[in-house]
């Protein structure tokens, strides 16, 4: 073989190596997610609520795979990463974690079964290891986790203040609630500014207010769509915002509240229009929602003060377990009517009113017109005082 042939052979081998390497990269269509569950639920619970890999499709979570634990509580699953995208790890309905399946394998340990006495009080923080791409999700989740814990603390103090009839302290703590909501939004906005060149930014945008922060969200979506034309989540977010805006026009101040029918705790149908002729606070909440439970004493105080003057409350629960729903009503002493279809976040009324977070509420006047939205703490008391007097 002469020198020319050697050179040709070498070049062919090099090309073959490059082609082989490229093919190998293209063939890598999966990442591996592994970890351990510290407190695995019982076998019966695992069968009833499996550990699942899911995708969010509109308002539904579609299950793609089921994860089976080993005897020592460890797990491993391969996830399609042909196109980088978001997935949800639904850990036995104890916790749900969004992850970004990109180029790196992930290690994620979960707490597992909640062993706390008050299960809604301590949602765990779950850290995603092994991927710089998921660091933004880690940061957003940590801010959200700490914000939630702060709300629980403030709510407990507010409840003690209400028992002590310390209205000044109760009012101040209500204002602290509003500050915490605003504070989280500002922290997320900072993360948005610091992480503009990653498709994972879509996750942070979901934590901003779709109305108040509309301009910022749309600007980021448009920019991400140009930078990452394959990012289906950006296109979907734009569609979801347009749909939410259409619903917002139907549920904004001055709009006539959409009528609905849902069953109460005794299985009897209740209509919103049954309350026509009275002021009604349409209150969306859930037994598992810490901020909701913390706000309940304030709602109850206002109900007791203004019910005789014409205030009604209709609670719509996003629970999916009847026992937990009924227990929360009893434990919190909620004396008004409650309805639910026990579909959780898929509650038909919540979907119609585009409820994306709880607590949420709408104050409706005697003619069925919405006069205020999302009143909490002192804001609720002040608005009702305007209407009914001291």
């Amino acid at each position: 073989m002469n020198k020319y042939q050697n050179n040709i052979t070498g070049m062919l081998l090099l090309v073959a190596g490059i082609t082989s390497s490229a093919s190998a990269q293209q063939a890598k269509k999966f990442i591996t997610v592994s970890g351990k569950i510290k407190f695995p639920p019982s076998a019966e619970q695992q069968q009833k609520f499996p550990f699942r890999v899911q995708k969010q499709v509109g308002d539904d979570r579609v299950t793609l795979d089921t994860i089976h634990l080993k005897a020592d509580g460890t797990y491993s699953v391969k996830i399609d990463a042909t196109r980088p995208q978001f997935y949800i790890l639904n850990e036995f309905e104890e916790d749900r974690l969004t992850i970004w399946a990109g180029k790196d394998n992930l290690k994620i340990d979960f707490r597992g079964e909640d062993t706390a006495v008050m299960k809604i009080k301590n949602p765990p923080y779950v850290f995603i290891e092994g991927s710089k791409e998921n660091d933004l999700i880690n940061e957003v989740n940590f801010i959200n986790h700490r914000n939630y814990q702060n709300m629980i603390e403030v709510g407990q103090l507010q409840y003690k203040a209400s028992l002590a009839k310390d209205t000044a302290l109760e009012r101040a703590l209500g204002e602290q609630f509003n500050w915490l909501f605003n504070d989280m939004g500002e922290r997320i906005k900072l993360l948005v500014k610091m992480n503009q060149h990653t498709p994972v930014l879509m996750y942070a945008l979901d934590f901003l207010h779709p109305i108040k922060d509309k301009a910022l969200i749309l600007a980021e979506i448009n920019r991400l769509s140009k930078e990452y034309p394959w990012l289906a989540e950006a296109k979907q977010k734009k569609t979801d915002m347009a749909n939410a805006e259409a619903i917002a026009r139907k549920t904004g101040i001055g709009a006539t509240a959409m009528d609905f029918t849902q069953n109460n705790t005794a299985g009897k149908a209740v209509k919103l229009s049954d309350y026509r002729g009275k002021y009604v606070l349409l209150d969306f909440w859930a037994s598992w929602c810490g901020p909701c439970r913390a706000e309940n004493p304030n709602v109850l105080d206002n109900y007791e003060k203004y019910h005789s003057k014409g205030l009604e409350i209709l609670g719509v629960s996003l629970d999916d377990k009847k026992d937990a729903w009924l227990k929360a009503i009893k434990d919190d002493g909620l004396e008004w009517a409650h309805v639910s279809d026990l579909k959780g976040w898929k509650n038909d009324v919540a979907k119609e009113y585009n409820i994306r977070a709880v607590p949420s509420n709408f104050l409706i006047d005697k003619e069925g017109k919405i006069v205020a939205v999302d009143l909490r703490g002192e804001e609720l008391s002040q608005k009702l005082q305007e209407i009914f007097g001291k």
Side-chain angles (χ1 to χ4, degrees):
M1 184 179 290
N2 60 33
K3 183 177 180 181
Y4 178 76
Q5 289 175 317
N6 277 333
N7 288 341
I8 292 295
T9 302
M11 289 175 65
L12 290 173
L13 288 172
L14 178 62
V15 170
I18 293 172
T19 304
S20 174
S21 176
S23 298
Q25 289 177 358
Q26 289 177 348
K28 187 180 180 182
K29 296 181 180 180
F30 297 90
I31 64 166
T32 299
V33 180
S34 59
K36 185 172 184 176
I37 311 295
K38 186 175 183 180
F39 300 111
S42 65
E44 181 182 358
Q45 183 77 356
Q46 290 186 38
Q47 186 174 7
K48 187 176 181 181
F49 301 107
F51 190 179
R52 292 166 290 177
V53 179
Q54 299 179 318
K55 278 286 293 182
Q56 190 71 37
V57 180
D59 291 326
D60 297 319
R61 288 192 302 273
V62 178
T63 297
L64 305 176
D65 198 0
T66 300
I67 304 172
H68 300 285
L69 297 188
K70 296 178 182 178
D72 62 355
T74 60
Y75 72 92
S76 181
V77 63
K78 287 187 177 298
I79 294 180
D80 185 3
T82 307
R83 176 181 77 80
Q85 57 189 297
F86 293 105
Y87 290 93
I88 299 169
L89 297 184
N90 188 337
E91 181 246 344
F92 308 116
E93 296 295 339
E94 291 285 347
D95 201 359
R96 284 187 290 272
L97 179 71
T98 296
I99 63 169
W100 177 257
K103 59 184 180 181
D104 298 315
N105 295 331
L106 306 177
K107 181 177 182 297
I108 306 170
D109 293 334
F110 291 90
R111 174 183 172 84
E113 190 172 25
D114 191 346
T115 57
V117 176
M118 293 294 290
K119 297 184 185 299
I120 65 166
K121 299 297 184 184
N122 292 299
Y125 174 68
V126 179
F127 186 75
I128 306 168
E129 294 183 57
S131 163
K132 287 289 184 183
E133 294 175 301
N134 279 275
D135 278 351
L136 179 57
I137 294 179
N138 282 329
E139 290 179 287
V140 170
N141 286 349
F142 186 74
I143 290 173
N144 184 50
H145 173 77
R146 294 305 303 167
N147 182 269
Y148 186 88
Q149 298 300 316
N150 286 333
M151 285 184 175
I152 296 300
E153 291 296 323
V154 172
Q156 289 175 340
L157 292 173
Q158 191 177 36
Y159 179 66
K160 291 176 182 177
S162 69
L163 293 178
K165 304 299 181 184
D166 189 339
T167 55
L169 179 57
E170 191 177 359
R171 186 181 302 113
L173 291 168
E175 292 172 357
Q176 182 70 6
F177 254 114
N178 293 332
W179 185 89
L180 286 170
F181 273 105
N182 295 332
D183 179 64
M184 175 160 171
E186 293 304 312
R187 291 172 184 268
I188 296 298
K189 288 176 187 177
L190 177 61
L191 288 182
V192 169
K193 289 182 181 179
M194 295 170 62
N195 296 274
Q196 291 193 320
H197 299 290
T198 170
V200 189
L201 185 63
M202 290 301 308
Y203 184 74
L205 295 179
D206 278 343
F207 285 79
L208 295 178
H209 196 287
I211 304 300
K212 294 178 182 177
D213 302 317
K214 176 184 173 182
L216 172 61
I217 296 171
L218 287 178
E220 293 301 320
I221 288 174
N222 290 333
R223 189 182 53 72
L224 288 170
S225 295
K226 291 178 181 178
E227 193 169 351
Y228 308 100
W230 48 266
L231 188 59
E233 288 85 353
K235 298 174 184 177
Q236 186 60 51
K237 179 71 172 177
K238 209 166 185 178
T239 300
D240 291 344
M241 287 186 68
N243 292 338
E245 195 168 356
I247 294 175
R249 287 193 288 270
K250 298 179 182 179
T251 59
I253 295 173
T256 299
M258 294 178 285
D259 197 15
F260 62 83
T261 302
Q262 211 160 79
N263 288 347
N264 64 14
T265 56
K268 181 180 178 182
V270 176
K271 292 183 179 180
L272 177 61
S273 55
D274 292 341
Y275 293 87
R276 190 62 60 88
K278 293 185 177 182
Y279 276 88
V280 57
L281 183 70
L282 180 60
D283 186 32
F284 291 89
W285 72 297
S287 68
W288 43 259
C289 167
C292 301
R293 303 292 295 275
E295 176 67 8
N296 278 344
N298 178 57
V299 179
L300 179 59
D301 284 347
N302 281 287
Y303 179 77
E304 292 175 342
K305 188 173 183 179
Y306 296 112
H307 178 57
S308 61
K309 297 183 179 182
L311 174 67
E312 298 288 349
I313 299 178
L314 178 58
V316 179
S317 170
L318 275 65
D319 275 279
D320 57 10
K321 298 179 179 64
K322 188 172 183 178
D323 289 347
W325 175 40
L326 298 180
K327 185 176 186 301
I329 292 172
K330 181 180 179 181
D331 289 350
D332 292 3
L334 310 182
E335 305 167 10
W336 48 87
H338 296 269
V339 298
S340 181
D341 56 14
L342 297 175
K343 294 180 182 178
W345 281 106
K346 295 180 183 179
N347 182 289
D348 288 339
V349 181
K351 290 169 66 175
E352 191 173 10
Y353 276 77
N354 195 39
I355 301 302
R356 296 294 178 181
V358 286
S360 292
N361 59 46
F362 300 84
L363 183 60
I364 303 166
D365 69 12
K366 296 178 180 180
E367 286 72 45
K369 299 285 186 182
I370 296 172
V371 295
V373 177
D374 287 340
L375 295 171
R376 282 183 285 271
E378 183 60 20
E379 287 183 347
L380 176 61
S381 302
Q382 288 177 349
K383 187 63 179 179
L384 295 177
Q385 185 175 312
E386 288 176 16
I387 295 169
F388 298 109
K390 293 184 179 181

